[in-house]
Amino acid sequence: MSAFRESFASGPIGAVSGPIGLPKPRRTELVLCVAAVALVSVAGLAMSSATGGGDGSSLQGALAVFAGLSLLAHLAVRVLAPKADPVILPCVVALNGLGLVLIDRLDRAEAATAAALGKAAPSSDAAHQLIWTAAGIALFALVLAVVRNHGQPAKYAYTCGLAGLVALLIPAVLPSRFSEVNGGKSWIMLSGFSIQPGEFAKVLLLVFISAFLVDNRDLFGAAGKRFLGFTVPRLRDLGPLLLVTFVSVLVLVYEKNLGFSLLVFGTVLAMVYIATRRASWLLIGIAMFAVGAIIAYQLFAHVRVRVHVWQDPFATYYTNGYQIAQGLFGLGTGGLWGAGLGGGRPQEVPFAKTDFIIATIGEEMGLFGLTAILLLFTVITIRGFTAALATRDSFGKLLAGGLAFSLGWQLFVVVGGVTKLIPLTGLTTPFMSYGGSSLLANYIIIALLMRVSHDARSVATPAAPPPAPIAEAMTEHIRHPSPTKRAR
């Protein structure tokens, strides 16, 4: 992180002015994508065998479709961003594919439960998620085609900021029947169609914040007074951070969406710190959010419920604490190696396909499997920061750094909630949880990271000057010491 902040502050990075990375990156990406699809196929067939999936023809068809979609994503990168990072897309393919397998596994459990009760089986969420995967890859290719230079979004930064705020606040003003699901007002639901605008708002807000910080970097970094060893910013310079804090608390209060508040505020605070290299911004931001959270805890009952459940979920096991308690039981049941795909009972956890798919992974794939999943996310985050380090302009550094941090931060918030490290937030796991809005928004993030990576690797290396003719070469006469001096 310190290297990233230093590179942002120092401007262009001369050491990485030429193409970097593996030779023939697209060939490397293709091999890794094939390996990811093979891993997903083995996991799917093992799950189908363990759950008694019959002839498995439907699963084989779904795996074939997924393999085709993965190939299309690779071809889109090969044509539109041929020098982009070769590791990011294969990691996304593996995560997305494993998410499809887990959702299908939970579909089968629900179908078995319905059959035991004499009810009709519910519709397949895995089939819906496969459709959303196709839409996400199409959007991924569209973003690569439209955004031909990563600096383009900076031209529309304030428009993106306004659109992001509007998208974020729309559910708060809509009637509950059009926006509320499970007590949270974060949806837009019309005629059977539903979408979470906050998933797209976070991308728009990150574009705005990146451009704003670049335009005002000197103001944020130089103005202010020294107090107790820290540079305290002027009150008028705190305006953007105050606005983000206000919006975050507003979302927390009216939409009951603690997860999005933590996601947006944490990402923006990290970007401010990267841009200014000032610990005072971190301390002020954390203090502001803490004060807002304390006020919300005192005024609003649903905030107190979340905190009480976090403190002792077993005290309210049969009511509010049931979900987190069942998730902890599932993680404990999985142990180190897991019960095996299809061998556990993850369907006992409410919302196992969305908020608690991490518990499903831990139960059926064990601690080692969950660690492997976390490592894939870590690789994506690190490669995103690598792209940020490699690009030469400040906007690209902040945009890629903010997008990469948002993925890593979201995973921390999700895993922290499931494991009772922090209060449960209701965020979904990127690429793995069921949900179209999250999948589409995260494919946009990956497309932007790939664009930044391609642009950074496309900077031409300055050609070495041709050697000078021998007749024009500099000469120097060297006088040797006399024999007497040599003898001495």
Side-chain angles (χ1 to χ4, degrees):
M1 181 67 78
S2 61
F4 176 69
R5 291 187 283 108
E6 291 171 3
S7 69
F8 176 82
S10 62
I13 305 178
V16 292
S17 58
I20 60 177
L22 297 171
K24 300 182 179 179
R26 300 286 63 81
R27 180 180 300 177
T28 302
E29 182 183 82
L30 179 59
V31 171
L32 292 176
C33 282
V34 170
V37 171
L39 173 66
V40 171
S41 300
V42 171
L45 294 175
M47 180 275 298
S48 178
S49 176
T51 55
D55 60 2
S57 58
S58 61
L59 176 63
Q60 293 172 9
L63 291 175
V65 171
F66 179 74
L69 292 174
S70 302
L71 177 61
L72 290 176
H74 165 74
L75 292 176
V77 176
R78 180 181 288 269
V79 173
L80 300 171
K83 295 183 180 179
D85 189 291
V87 178
I88 293 178
L89 182 61
C91 291
V92 171
V93 169
L95 292 171
N96 194 354
L98 290 174
L100 286 167
V101 170
L102 293 170
I103 293 170
D104 187 27
R105 185 264 177 276
L106 292 167
D107 283 343
R108 294 167 186 252
E110 291 179 354
T113 302
L117 297 175
K119 298 180 180 179
S123 60
S124 173
D125 287 332
H128 296 160
Q129 187 76 348
L130 186 60
I131 295 173
W132 283 116
T133 298
I137 290 176
L139 186 58
F140 169 81
L142 179 63
V143 172
L144 286 178
V146 172
V147 182
R148 302 312 296 263
N149 182 287
H150 69 264
Q152 283 181 237
K155 302 176 182 179
Y156 311 98
Y158 285 88
T159 302
C160 290
L162 179 60
L165 286 177
V166 171
L168 186 60
L169 297 177
I170 284 177
V173 300
L174 285 177
S176 296
R177 66 180 184 275
F178 296 122
S179 61
E180 185 171 336
V181 175
N182 300 318
K185 287 173 60 67
S186 57
W187 295 81
I188 298 177
M189 298 180 294
L190 296 172
S191 302
F193 175 80
S194 61
I195 189 172
Q196 275 187 299
E199 293 288 347
F200 304 96
K202 68 181 180 184
V203 182
L204 295 171
L205 290 175
L206 288 182
V207 171
F208 165 71
I209 293 296
S210 300
F212 181 86
L213 288 176
V214 170
D215 291 342
N216 299 275
R217 182 177 62 178
D218 295 336
L219 183 64
F220 277 82
K225 297 182 179 180
R226 299 287 294 178
F227 179 73
L228 296 178
F230 295 100
T231 302
V232 181
R234 297 175 301 186
L235 183 61
R236 63 175 179 268
D237 298 335
L238 288 172
L241 194 57
L242 287 171
L243 177 62
V244 172
T245 304
F246 173 75
V247 172
S248 299
V249 175
L250 188 67
V251 170
L252 168 64
V253 171
Y254 289 100
E255 298 187 6
K256 302 180 181 179
N257 194 342
L258 175 62
F260 192 83
S261 300
L262 287 174
L263 177 62
V264 172
F265 188 80
T267 303
V268 171
L269 190 59
M271 293 172 67
V272 172
Y273 176 62
I274 291 171
T276 63
R277 297 187 297 165
R278 288 192 171 185
S280 56
W281 283 103
L282 279 179
L283 297 177
I284 291 172
I286 293 172
M288 290 167 57
F289 190 81
V291 170
I294 291 173
I295 294 174
Y297 176 84
Q298 298 295 331
L299 295 180
F300 302 101
H302 66 271
V303 178
R304 292 194 294 272
V305 168
R306 288 288 182 95
V307 175
H308 293 161
V309 169
W310 167 61
Q311 291 174 333
D312 188 3
F314 299 100
T316 55
Y317 175 77
Y318 294 102
T319 54
N320 297 318
Y322 181 78
Q323 184 184 31
I324 181 66
Q326 287 295 107
L328 293 174
F329 286 145
L331 291 172
T333 301
L336 292 178
W337 298 100
L341 287 172
R345 301 184 64 187
Q347 67 273 15
E348 300 295 330
V349 183
F351 305 106
K353 298 177 185 177
T354 52
D355 301 0
F356 269 71
I357 201 166
I358 289 294
T360 303
I361 297 170
E363 181 172 353
E364 302 221 321
M365 300 174 65
L367 178 62
F368 292 144
L370 180 57
T371 301
I373 295 295
L374 298 183
L375 286 176
L376 287 176
F377 280 107
T378 303
V379 169
I380 295 174
T381 303
I382 291 176
R383 303 297 285 210
F385 276 116
T386 301
L389 281 167
T391 190
R392 298 175 62 86
D393 65 290
S394 297
F395 175 76
K397 293 181 186 298
L398 265 182
L399 180 61
L403 293 172
F405 181 86
S406 69
L407 288 174
W409 178 240
Q410 181 170 346
L411 184 68
F412 169 79
V413 172
V414 171
V415 177
V418 173
T419 58
K420 210 177 80 64
L421 178 65
I422 60 175
L424 190 62
T425 59
L427 285 179
T428 57
T429 305
F431 303 110
M432 302 195 76
S433 294
Y434 173 72
S437 300
S438 174
L439 197 59
L440 294 177
N442 285 307
Y443 266 112
I444 293 175
I445 290 176
I446 295 300
L448 292 175
L449 286 177
M450 297 290 277
R451 173 56 63 201
V452 173
S453 175
H454 168 78
D455 292 349
R457 294 161 178 253
S458 298
V459 179
T461 304
I470 188 64
E472 299 178 8
M474 297 293 294
T475 59
E476 182 179 357
H477 176 70
I478 300 176
R479 182 179 180 180
H480 291 285
S482 65
T484 304
K485 291 183 179 180
R486 286 201 300 269
R488 293 179 183 176

